[in-house]
Amino acid sequence: MNTMDDMEPLGLFPDPRLSGIDGLVGFHIRLASAAVYQHFTETFSDLGLTQKQVAVLWLIEDQPGIAQADIGRRLKMDRASVMAIVNRMQDRGFVQRGASSQDRRRQTLSLTESGHASLELARGCIAEHEKWLKDRFTPAETAMLVELLRRVYV
Amino acid sequence: MNTMDDMEPLGLFPDPRLSGIDGLVGFHIRLASAAVYQHFTETFSDLGLTQKQVAVLWLIEDQPGIAQADIGRRLKMDRASVMAIVNRMQDRGFVQRGASSQDRRRQTLSLTESGHASLELARGCIAEHEKWLKDRFTPAETAMLVELLRRVYV
DNA sequence: GAAAAAATGTGAGTGACACATACAATGTTG
DNA sequence: CAACATTGTATGTGTCACTCACATTTTTTC
């Protein structure tokens, strides 16, 4: 009976492709990123961690003693933003700063016990989140998508 | 000799860093989106417009009289965020609010002369920005990328 | 070896925009 | 009419991007 039950009472939405804005690749990347971020924050509402914060914790566990500047380069963030995140993670007791023996400008970063535990919890949420995302694609499509996206930021 | 346990279907990845954070699709979407946003802001440094602001102007020009709630649904933003952007665009003289004759809860939005002019300038920058982005892909790849991304947010 | 340049961390400030919450006015529906 | 949903508005909080400025330390250059 009902063909395409549009959810809008006023029915103000014509075909989404009518607007020229849908012809922009950047627009779709933006919307997809927003959708992923949205689902991420829902999944992580209990832990209270953002994508960036998890990424930073992850990197620090992967490479203990990593410097803030390295994190910035890895995640394409400027130093000020990295510092803000590290400060927050330090305030919450997940990360500790230490002195570097080689380069006295640097601070070596490492996770605390609490940081390791939180990241372990986070990994479970990430697995769930990634499943939600990857279920849309075949393995080949996933590989294709990652390869195309990689061309954008490398 | 079976060393890959359902990780990758084929050796499509030249990078060996697929374990860890690089194995997450969401991570790549995030990085790509950040790179696009970064280039966008560079291209638009003269105009002083963000992606969202341009998108809102674009939608209003496309559908004069559109309501804020419609914009929110179209761009996946909540009402408060839409209002903040419309306020900013109104303060800068690009957008004007008007009363709706059908529904007195609604405000019809339309562009001012200045708004049309700014959007026209913006379109030039967008073309340049999109070229920067699309030059990485063949037309078929672009279509593929958009199709895959669309699955994420619809 | 000293001066210049670069890298690193830090701080303060601004801006964008997500979230949540609450409220008033208006429509819609039982 | 009463109950509910929608729309716009206002307010506050949090994240994180940008910038500029500054001190320290390392590296490069002369």
Side-chain angles (χ1 to χ4, degrees):
Chain A
M1 187 62 180
N2 67 344
T3 55
M4 307 262 293
D5 62 313
D6 54 358
M7 50 228 80
E8 303 313 319
L10 291 179
L12 282 181
F13 292 137
D15 192 294
R17 287 169 184 78
L18 277 185
S19 174
I21 209 172
D22 285 285
L24 305 175
V25 178
F27 180 69
H28 295 279
I29 294 180
R30 181 75 148 116
L31 279 188
S33 175
V36 171
Y37 185 75
Q38 203 167 346
H39 183 268
F40 189 98
T41 51
E42 284 172 18
T43 313
F44 278 72
S45 59
D46 301 330
L47 285 168
L49 290 172
T50 67
Q51 281 183 339
K52 289 278 163 114
Q53 289 167 0
V54 171
V56 167
L57 293 181
W58 192 308
L59 278 189
I60 293 176
E61 186 177 69
D62 239 31
Q63 296 175 241
I66 192 174
Q68 288 180 186
D70 295 327
I71 293 178
R73 277 184 288 266
R74 191 78 172 70
L75 301 180
K76 313 277 186 194
M77 300 165 62
D78 67 319
R79 287 170 304 156
S81 302
V82 175
M83 194 189 65
I85 294 177
V86 171
N87 280 344
R88 235 167 273 126
M89 294 296 91
Q90 192 179 30
D91 291 346
R92 289 175 62 177
F94 295 160
V95 163
Q96 51 195 358
R97 286 179 161 101
S100 169
S101 50
Q102 287 87 2
D103 190 331
R104 291 218 303 277
R105 293 170 303 184
R106 287 176 170 239
Q107 303 259 9
T108 66
L109 300 175
S110 58
L111 294 191
T112 63
E113 296 281 336
S114 172
H116 281 290
S118 288
L119 184 56
E120 201 50 44
L121 284 177
R123 280 191 215 276
C125 296
I126 288 176
E128 177 186 338
H129 170 67
E130 272 286 303
K131 182 184 183 327
W132 167 86
L133 182 53
K134 278 186 176 171
D135 273 356
R136 293 162 167 73
F137 312 113
T138 67
E141 285 171 340
T142 300
M144 174 65 120
L145 176 60
V146 169
E147 203 273 328
L148 293 176
L149 289 173
R150 200 191 286 272
R151 285 189 216 165
V152 177
Y153 64 82
V154 290
Chain B
M1 67 177 283
N2 186 4
T3 53
M4 44 184 179
D5 33 51
D6 73 4
M7 286 284 289
E8 311 145 40
L10 293 170
L12 290 177
F13 295 115
D15 287 63
R17 325 173 281 170
L18 273 173
S19 60
I21 209 170
D22 285 288
L24 305 175
V25 178
F27 180 70
H28 295 279
I29 294 180
R30 182 75 149 119
L31 278 189
S33 174
V36 170
Y37 185 76
Q38 203 165 347
H39 182 267
F40 189 97
T41 51
E42 284 172 17
T43 312
F44 277 72
S45 59
D46 301 331
L47 286 168
L49 290 172
T50 67
Q51 281 183 338
K52 290 278 163 115
Q53 290 168 0
V54 171
V56 166
L57 293 181
W58 193 307
L59 278 188
I60 294 175
E61 185 177 68
D62 238 33
Q63 302 181 40
I66 191 173
Q68 289 180 187
D70 296 325
I71 292 178
R73 277 184 291 265
R74 191 76 171 72
L75 302 180
K76 313 275 185 196
M77 300 166 62
D78 65 320
R79 288 179 321 223
S81 301
V82 175
M83 193 189 66
I85 294 177
V86 171
N87 280 344
R88 235 168 273 126
M89 294 295 92
Q90 192 178 32
D91 291 346
R92 289 175 61 177
F94 294 161
V95 163
Q96 51 194 356
R97 289 178 160 101
S100 170
S101 50
Q102 287 88 2
D103 190 332
R104 291 219 301 279
R105 294 171 302 184
R106 290 181 167 231
Q107 304 259 8
T108 65
L109 301 174
S110 57
L111 295 190
T112 63
E113 296 282 335
S114 172
H116 281 290
S118 288
L119 184 55
E120 200 51 43
L121 283 177
R123 280 190 215 275
C125 295
I126 288 176
E128 177 187 338
H129 170 67
E130 272 286 303
K131 182 184 182 327
W132 167 87
L133 182 54
K134 278 185 175 170
D135 273 357
R136 294 162 167 74
F137 312 114
T138 67
E141 285 171 339
T142 300
M144 174 64 134
L145 176 59
V146 169
E147 204 272 328
L148 294 176
L149 290 173
R150 199 189 288 272
R151 286 189 215 165
V152 177
Y153 64 81
V154 291

